[in-house]
């Protein structure tokens, strides 16, 4: 999950409730590509839920969703654009040039640009700490 595509949203509860297993239904956002986690109030994880179609079912009266959205192309960061251009060049190289050596070279360059983009993207995140871990709590 690229950091620039991550977002959070408080979901709107639907009037129609699920038939079984959960009390409430929520509409997933239109730009939702993949749900990463859901939580309650200010915490966006730890909630028990189920995705059914374009709805999220849960027993929580309110839900905060952490998900990957479909960003607009003009919001792509430069490091991602470079990786995307490299990947597209690698995909189109063989059909356009019919040269396997050139294709191999472009694929290697593409892999390098993707690795660089992942590195830059990962550096934009704070390392996560352990949460609710009994061994740490025992140590006081």
């Amino acid at each position: 999950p690229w950091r620039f595509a991550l977002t959070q949203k408080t979901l709107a509860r639907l009037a129609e409730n699920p038939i079984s297993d959960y009390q409430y239904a929520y509409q997933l956002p239109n730009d939702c590509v993949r749900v990463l986690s859901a939580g309650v109030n200010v915490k966006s994880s730890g909630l028990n839920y189920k995705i059914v179609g374009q709805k999220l079912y849960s027993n929580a009266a309110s839900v905060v969703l952490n998900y990957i959205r479909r960003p607009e192309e003009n919001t792509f960061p430069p490091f991602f654009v470079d990786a995307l251009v490299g990947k597209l060049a690698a995909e189109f190289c063989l059909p356009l040039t019919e040269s396997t050596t050139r294709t191999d070279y472009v694929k290697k360059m593409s892999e390098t640009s993707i690795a660089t983009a992942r590195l830059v993207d990962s550096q934009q995140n704070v390392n996560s700490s352990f949460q609710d871990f009994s061994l740490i709590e025992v140590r006081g």
Side-chain angles (χ1 to χ4, degrees), residues 28-107:
L28 292 176
N30 291 335
D31 64 346
C32 181
V33 174
R34 187 175 89 191
V35 173
L36 298 176
S37 64
V40 180
N41 298 329
V42 295
K43 192 172 179 185
S44 66
S45 64
L47 183 67
N48 183 14
Y49 65 91
K50 178 167 67 171
I51 304 292
V52 178
Q54 289 298 312
K55 296 176 186 170
L56 181 141
Y57 293 166
S58 174
N59 289 329
S62 69
V63 173
V64 175
L65 188 69
N66 190 27
Y67 68 100
I68 299 173
R69 66 181 171 88
R70 184 178 310 280
E72 298 292 325
E73 291 174 16
N74 61 352
T75 64
F76 291 172
F79 63 84
F80 181 77
V81 171
D82 290 344
L84 181 61
V85 167
K87 180 68 174 170
L88 290 173
E91 291 295 322
F92 290 121
C93 188
L94 185 61
L96 293 175
T97 64
E98 297 180 0
S99 169
T100 55
T101 55
R102 182 172 287 166
T103 299
D104 290 342
Y105 174 75
V106 172
K107 281 186 180 180

Side-chain angles (χ1 to χ4, degrees), residues 105-120:
Y105 174 75
V106 172
K107 281 186 180 180
K108 286 179 185 175
M109 296 299 292
S110 169
E111 290 169 3
T112 301
S113 65
I114 290 171
T116 302
R118 285 187 177 159
L119 176 66
V120 171

